[in-house]
Amino acid sequence: MKNILVTGGAGYIGSHTVVELQKAGYNVIVIDNFINSNELVFQRIEKITGIKVQYYKIDLLDKTNLNSIFEKYEIDCVIHFAGLKAVGESVKEPWRYYNNNITGTLNLIEIMNNHKIKNLIFSSSATVYGNPQIVPITEDFPTGACTNPYGWTKFMIEQILKDIQKSDNDWNIVILRYFNPIGAHSSGLIGENPNGIPNNLMPYITQVAIGKRPELSVYGNDYNTHDGTGVRDYIHVVDLALGHVKALNKIEQKAGLCIYNLGTGKGYSVLDVVKNFEIANGIKIPYSIKPRRLGDIPTCYSCVDKAKVELGWEAQFGIRKMCEDSWNFQKNNPNGYQ
């Protein structure tokens, strides 16, 4: 297996995965529409790996241009990141999320099938578990009680992929359910670079730290957790990227359909992350408590034993390292990639 097509490869998780794929010796081709990303990231990747990235500005809703990539390259496997991902925005604009994420995936699958390319790694999410009754969450927990349209798109795509693999055993599909990626590459060259007001906790914290925002908004302090704020499983984005490299080994084994949680197996509250960031970087983060957000749940963290046993993968980086690397990217790139 040599040629890997990465959809959404200019994004936060996608760009870090491209780095690890190149380091592992794969030839990477990226497509991205750059709606929530910046093509300058590829110059940064080349500085890290010394390898030029082949990339194309293509939207998955554009079947003609998407098909042209499969005509041009002999693709061995597709890693599918591309999609809209902001929970709050999905609640406000559900039609846009369903159209973009699901239709785009169906287009990709149809073209892959036409070209007899039946190896796929899908970027899913712990949101498919909804509001779990107990934690830690294992892969056999019920799914489909999603709390927002973004989560429903991930759930529906998972179901589509399960049905496709069931209908045709030649398909090899690995579904990776991410928990909460934070951190950045240790070089400080690539990291999370949101447009506008960040939707995720860590980039909001780093923007407060650098003075772009006056304080952190903490949404809800009355959850049934140790300090009242929401608890999540935060994973270093480089650990997450390495999980995709390990998943390619599973694809090469012709394993059919496999599903894995990628997390650390530990839960940290919003205020835990704030405290660890302050300790790691010596910067005070002012915050204020706001009402709960629609679609948020109290507690969510993973059991990752299956990935450890079957993929030989385990997260290596702790919460302090995640905080240090997040800040290192932000302070070296106060205006992102511009």
Side-chain angles (χ1 to χ4, degrees):
M1 189 173 293
K2 182 185 176 187
N3 293 329
I4 311 299
L5 177 66
V6 179
T7 75
Y12 175 43
I13 303 169
S15 60
H16 287 81
T17 302
V18 169
V19 167
E20 299 306 325
L21 289 168
Q22 287 188 333
K23 285 168 64 176
Y26 292 100
N27 182 46
V28 182
I29 303 103
V30 173
I31 58 174
D32 202 299
N33 62 10
F34 303 111
I35 286 176
N36 289 315
S37 58
N38 192 314
E39 61 187 297
L40 292 174
V41 72
F42 298 120
Q43 296 175 18
R44 308 292 189 89
I45 291 173
E46 188 175 349
K47 284 183 181 177
I48 294 169
T49 65
I51 303 167
K52 192 172 181 62
V53 182
Q54 304 166 84
Y55 71 91
Y56 300 85
K57 185 177 181 180
I58 291 175
D59 193 304
L60 293 186
L61 298 179
D62 180 352
K63 289 173 75 173
T64 301
N65 277 325
L66 179 59
N67 186 69
S68 71
I69 295 298
F70 288 84
E71 297 281 355
K72 183 172 183 176
Y73 295 96
E74 290 186 12
I75 305 296
D76 295 302
C77 182
V78 176
I79 302 181
H80 179 31
F81 294 106
L84 299 173
K85 63 175 186 174
V87 168
E89 186 180 68
S90 79
V91 174
K92 294 175 183 175
E93 301 179 58
W95 61 89
R96 185 167 162 243
Y97 272 66
Y98 288 121
N99 181 54
N100 185 85
N101 293 5
I102 295 174
T103 306
T105 300
L106 288 171
N107 288 345
L108 177 66
I109 291 292
E110 180 185 340
I111 290 169
M112 287 178 67
N113 194 62
N114 290 344
H115 288 269
K116 296 183 169 52
I117 297 158
K118 299 184 179 182
N119 297 318
L120 176 69
I121 298 170
F122 175 57
S123 164
S124 191
S125 166
T127 57
V128 300
Y129 295 115
N131 187 355
Q133 299 304 302
I134 57 172
V135 286
I137 298 166
T138 61
E139 288 85 351
D140 58 2
F141 270 36
T143 59
C146 304
T147 59
N148 55 73
Y150 162 73
W152 279 115
T153 67
K154 293 297 187 184
F155 170 78
M156 291 174 184
I157 292 168
E158 282 198 12
Q159 188 60 51
I160 290 165
L161 297 178
K162 289 173 186 175
D163 290 341
I164 287 168
Q165 203 283 326
K166 188 176 180 180
S167 73
D168 181 355
N169 291 333
D170 287 341
W171 278 89
N172 298 290
I173 298 172
V174 175
I175 294 171
L176 300 177
R177 292 175 179 160
Y178 309 157
F179 282 70
N180 291 68
I182 59 175
H185 194 270
S186 59
S187 65
L189 287 168
I190 61 173
E192 193 164 9
N193 180 42
N195 293 333
I197 299 172
N199 294 295
N200 297 326
L201 175 63
M202 185 55 77
Y204 210 115
I205 289 175
T206 61
Q207 288 194 11
V208 171
I210 207 164
K212 293 184 89 168
R213 309 206 176 271
E215 63 178 13
L216 171 69
S217 296
V218 177
Y219 296 101
N221 67 341
D222 56 352
Y223 289 110
N224 184 23
T225 63
H226 67 274
D227 61 13
T229 64
V231 170
R232 299 290 183 271
D233 185 341
Y234 295 95
I235 176 173
H236 198 295
V237 66
V238 173
D239 277 329
L240 193 58
L242 289 166
H244 294 77
V245 179
K246 292 288 190 181
L248 279 171
N249 296 334
K250 200 70 177 175
I251 292 285
E252 288 178 341
Q253 294 167 18
K254 305 293 182 186
L257 176 73
C258 301
I259 300 173
Y260 301 100
N261 289 336
L262 295 186
T264 63
K266 299 180 181 121
Y268 292 94
S269 73
V270 173
L271 294 184
D272 287 335
V273 176
V274 170
K275 289 171 189 172
N276 275 281
F277 185 91
E278 290 177 341
I279 293 167
N281 300 304
I283 300 169
K284 193 71 177 170
I285 302 297
Y287 65 86
S288 63
I289 305 299
K290 301 289 173 68
R292 295 184 184 188
R293 289 186 301 192
L294 281 174
D296 280 350
I297 61 175
T299 303
C300 181
Y301 62 91
S302 65
C303 173
V304 288
D305 292 348
K306 186 179 178 186
K308 184 176 180 181
V309 171
E310 295 188 15
L311 296 181
W313 173 90
E314 190 174 11
Q316 302 298 312
F317 301 113
I319 190 69
R320 296 275 171 86
K321 175 67 170 167
M322 300 180 211
C323 292
E324 288 171 6
D325 287 344
S326 295
W327 175 234
N328 186 43
F329 174 74
Q330 181 72 80
K331 71 182 181 183
N332 285 303
N333 302 274
N335 298 309
Y337 291 121
Q338 297 301 328

